[in-house]
Amino acid sequence: MNTQTQVKPGEGCSIALEALTSVHELVDTLQTYLLESGSIELEAKHDSVISALTERIKSECESAHEVVRLAEAN
């Protein structure tokens, strides 16, 4: 049985924005946890990779947010 839900473009944009916001918040939480946790000792190379990845994820979320906002405006 094929069940599909019809979503209006505005609703799709809203759902996408919520998902992107959640991803951004999760990355912020992970970054804060790693920075504030005294029990996690990372080698410098791992720390820099994790920092680069979290910043890239946040940047991609912000770019995607902008695309969704533009699509929503049209």
Side-chain angles (χ1 to χ4, degrees):
M1 184 168 157
N2 187 4
T3 58
Q4 293 182 343
T5 301
Q6 297 295 321
V7 177
K8 296 177 184 173
E11 293 171 331
C13 288
S14 180
I15 291 166
L17 283 173
E18 286 180 33
L20 290 166
T21 299
S22 292
V23 170
H24 198 281
E25 290 172 357
L26 287 169
V27 170
D28 278 339
T29 301
L30 175 62
Q31 199 170 33
T32 301
Y33 175 76
L34 291 172
L35 291 173
E36 293 180 357
S37 178
S39 62
I40 298 175
E41 296 288 327
L42 296 174
E43 294 178 26
K45 65 181 179 182
H46 298 302
D47 185 43
S48 63
V49 168
I50 290 171
S51 291
L53 288 172
T54 55
E55 289 305 314
R56 177 69 187 267
I57 292 168
K58 287 197 266 184
S59 174
E60 292 293 330
C61 283
E62 289 166 11
S63 296
H65 262 116
E66 188 59 31
V67 169
V68 172
R69 281 190 201 102
L70 290 171
E72 202 171 35
N74 290 328

